[in-house]
Amino acid sequence: MTEHPLSDETRAKLKTVSTASIATALYKRGLRNQFIQGVVPVAPKDENMVGPAFTLRYIPAREDRNPITVFRNADHPQRVAIETCPAGHVLVMDGRKDARAATAGSILITRLALRGAAGVVTDAGMRDAEGIGRLDMPAYFARASAPTNLTLHEALDINVPISCGDAPVFPGDIMVGDKDGVMVIPAHLADEIAEECTGMESYEDFVLEQVQGGAAIIGLYPCTRDENRQKYQDWRARTGR
């Protein structure tokens, strides 16, 4: 799958950091297009979605290839993706940002969840969204859409590089989703991004506390004054952060 497997330690760290912090850390490394545009949680969850990407690519449907009878085919890529996405991974679907039709519905996504997937992301639609939202597994989509995928989409390739919401996603990339959306971390950067963002979150919690107490931003965020560095160190010692 990847030369850089996701460790339990890094997964745990990424469950505690925001997509905003990840976006900033990736920007420092010259990566500007790692946020999946146009997707939102089907239903907000209290815990981050974290897992390696397992991908499914759709192309525009052609009517002679996509009658309803294609679902009788045991090798239909949409069904195969549901049944082969490894536990702990995130199924990421390239629906070409076309939410006029679904890329999956509640029955398939329930099966995916019961197989142990860490989440699902599509830049197109999902049908039966209320049922998907009730699952413990995080799910992200563009919006609810009742028409079957066959109306506009043909599932074609499994676990190949795709575009999702204009972001490049390679199999094994680390997907992190929170209530804001979904970031894509190149697998080889996951450990260092997780470590850096854990520190960023700590400092931002300190900053927010200072701002709520009336502190000015200049010299505090970003920290450019020694007095604020010392205050932060004192805060860390006091809070254990």
Side-chain angles (χ1 to χ4, degrees):
M1 292 288 292
T2 176
E3 297 178 1
H4 304 277
L6 178 63
S7 70
D8 290 342
E9 180 182 4
T10 294
R11 185 189 291 268
K13 288 177 181 177
L14 291 174
K15 280 185 173 289
T16 68
V17 302
S18 70
T19 54
S21 292
I22 293 169
T24 298
L26 290 173
Y27 175 72
K28 291 176 183 177
R29 292 160 174 81
L31 296 168
R32 301 165 180 256
N33 187 36
Q34 301 303 115
F35 186 67
I36 296 183
Q37 299 291 335
V39 308
V40 296
V42 176
K45 306 298 181 185
D46 291 332
E47 188 174 74
N48 281 5
M49 176 189 75
V50 180
F54 184 85
T55 65
L56 175 63
R57 184 173 75 96
Y58 283 93
I59 65 169
R62 198 176 75 188
E63 288 77 3
D64 63 324
R65 290 177 52 88
N66 289 277
I68 196 70
T69 52
V70 298
F71 286 145
R72 297 177 184 174
N73 180 2
D75 295 325
H76 188 274
Q78 184 202 43
R79 267 54 176 177
V80 172
I82 295 294
E83 294 293 341
T84 57
C85 179
H89 285 57
V90 176
L91 177 62
V92 187
M93 294 184 281
D94 173 8
R96 301 172 296 109
K97 301 190 299 179
D98 191 342
R100 292 177 297 159
T103 46
S106 64
I107 292 176
L108 270 64
I109 300 305
T110 297
R111 172 62 177 162
L112 185 70
L114 290 173
R115 292 192 61 255
V120 60
V121 182
T122 178
D123 61 0
M126 284 187 185
R127 64 198 308 197
D128 312 312
E130 183 177 357
I132 295 171
R134 286 197 296 265
L135 297 171
D136 291 335
M137 183 187 75
Y140 294 81
F141 68 168
R143 60 177 169 83
S145 187
T148 177
N149 68 95
L150 302 176
T151 308
L152 291 169
H153 308 304
E154 178 178 344
L156 194 69
D157 291 321
I158 296 174
N159 223 28
V160 298
I162 62 170
S163 169
C164 188
D166 290 328
V169 181
F170 292 82
D173 281 349
I174 307 305
M175 313 299 295
V176 181
D178 63 9
K179 293 175 183 177
D180 284 353
V182 181
M183 289 295 300
V184 185
I185 305 176
H188 68 283
L189 294 175
D191 293 344
E192 63 183 81
I193 293 294
E195 182 65 26
E196 178 175 330
C197 289
T198 300
M200 288 172 61
E201 297 274 319
S202 169
Y203 185 71
E204 289 186 358
D205 286 347
F206 162 74
V207 168
L208 184 58
E209 184 178 301
Q210 295 295 302
V211 169
Q212 289 171 336
I217 287 295
I218 296 172
L220 175 66
Y221 190 69
C223 184
T224 58
R225 294 179 181 170
D226 290 340
E227 63 191 76
N228 288 324
R229 292 190 185 92
Q230 186 58 54
K231 285 181 181 178
Y232 174 53
Q233 293 304 320
D234 294 344
W235 178 87
R236 292 188 68 193
R238 185 175 69 254
T239 63
R241 296 287 307 281

